[in-house]
Amino acid sequence: QKEVEQNSGPLSVPEGAIASLNCTYSDRGSQSFFWYRQYSGKSPELIMFIYSNGDKEDGRFTAQLNKASQYVSLLIRDSQPSDSATYLCAVKGANFGNEKLTFGTGTRLTIIP
Amino acid sequence: GAVVSQHPSWVICKSGTSVKIECRSLDFQATTMFWYRQFPKQSLMLMATSNEGSKATYEQGVEKDKFLINHASLTLSTLTVTSAHPEDSSFYICSARPRGISNQPQHFGDGTRLSIL
């Protein structure tokens, strides 16, 4: 079983609609969860991070965390063509002092104009 | 804030050459930096964790004698790919996390695209 799983896509969403990206993780004690966006040929850039159960909103982005279900998601409202990219879910483990992130394989998102 | 600079952005060189990549945190101190490698259409794979003033911690399967890491200051880590061969061609990316602040995210450099002929 992979430690962090994402649907590889591609996920196609019409412009203006809501894009929903999902991620599950295996380490129940994981503490911190991150969403990165990666454009083709570029390095990842941080979109959002979340530590507590529930929703966290930042502009058009909402991260949702459910630790009981070991599930974290990213919603993108009013999707724009510039949102087309690969979205990486990353999880920091439970061990104190261990700063390593485990990445999912990413979901490729395409926003259709 | 939290800018990480990586240099060079791309390298093309002959097989057998050693290549050094620098990773700098520009506006914060980082006791820990991370080196990743990404092959086409694959996710990031952590190679090693670079610790300021001590030896790097390598992930399983990563040759420490081939990928030399030096973290001599709180703002600079270097990765040297020694005697590089075509199979080492990849996208190498560093990241850093601000010192002393728990649960802060890692911030990535722009990456170095390495092509070995």
Side-chain angles (χ1 to χ4, degrees):
Chain A
Q1 181 189 6
K2 292 182 182 178
E3 296 181 50
V4 179
E5 292 206 45
Q6 295 180 254
N7 189 324
S8 61
L11 176 65
S12 296
V13 174
E15 184 175 357
I18 297 175
S20 178
L21 304 163
N22 305 316
C23 173
T24 58
Y25 59 94
S26 60
D27 183 353
R28 182 169 289 279
S30 297
Q31 297 295 317
S32 310
F33 307 86
F34 306 88
W35 283 100
Y36 288 88
R37 177 176 63 198
Q38 187 175 26
Y39 292 114
S40 180
K42 303 294 186 181
S43 69
E45 58 178 316
L46 181 69
I47 298 296
M48 290 198 70
F49 56 93
I50 187 167
Y51 308 134
S52 304
N53 274 328
D55 295 1
K56 179 181 179 183
E57 187 175 316
D58 183 1
R60 294 187 298 112
F61 300 96
T62 299
Q64 299 175 317
L65 175 61
N66 184 325
K67 289 187 177 181
S69 301
Q70 295 175 237
Y71 175 92
V72 58
S73 65
L74 178 70
L75 301 178
I76 306 174
R77 288 181 300 281
D78 188 23
S79 297
Q80 303 296 310
S82 59
D83 295 327
S84 297
T86 296
Y87 288 79
L88 301 170
C89 171
V91 176
K92 189 168 87 71
N95 295 334
F96 179 78
N98 181 359
E99 299 299 323
K100 292 197 301 186
L101 293 180
T102 301
F103 283 84
T105 53
T107 298
R108 189 155 56 93
L109 174 66
T110 300
I111 305 301
I112 304 168
Chain B
V3 177
V4 177
S5 172
Q6 192 172 337
H7 178 81
S9 55
W10 56 272
V11 180
I12 302 174
C13 57
K14 294 180 179 179
S15 184
T17 306
S18 291
V19 178
K20 179 187 279 189
I21 304 170
E22 292 188 350
C23 180
R24 294 181 185 272
S25 54
L26 296 186
D27 52 359
F28 64 96
Q29 293 182 331
T31 48
T32 305
M33 292 184 175
F34 303 87
W35 288 96
Y36 295 85
R37 181 167 52 181
Q38 187 177 35
F39 292 105
K41 299 191 185 303
Q42 296 186 22
S43 191
L44 279 73
M45 295 302 296
L46 180 65
M47 299 175 66
T49 303
S50 170
N51 304 297
E52 187 267 337
S54 65
K55 291 183 179 180
T57 303
Y58 289 82
E59 295 300 300
Q60 192 173 8
V62 178
E63 300 174 57
K64 60 180 67 175
D65 293 332
K66 181 168 185 64
F67 299 99
L68 302 179
I69 292 173
N70 183 283
H71 193 154
S73 77
L74 288 171
T75 59
L76 173 64
S77 175
T78 61
L79 168 69
T80 301
V81 183
T82 62
S83 186
H85 292 284
E87 59 266 28
D88 298 320
S89 298
S90 188
F91 191 39
Y92 292 84
I93 314 171
C94 73
S95 73
R97 191 184 68 82
R99 172 193 187 197
I101 304 174
S102 64
N103 280 337
Q104 282 295 299
Q106 294 180 22
H107 297 273
F108 286 86
D110 288 338
T112 297
R113 196 160 299 282
L114 177 62
S115 295
I116 308 298
L117 305 177

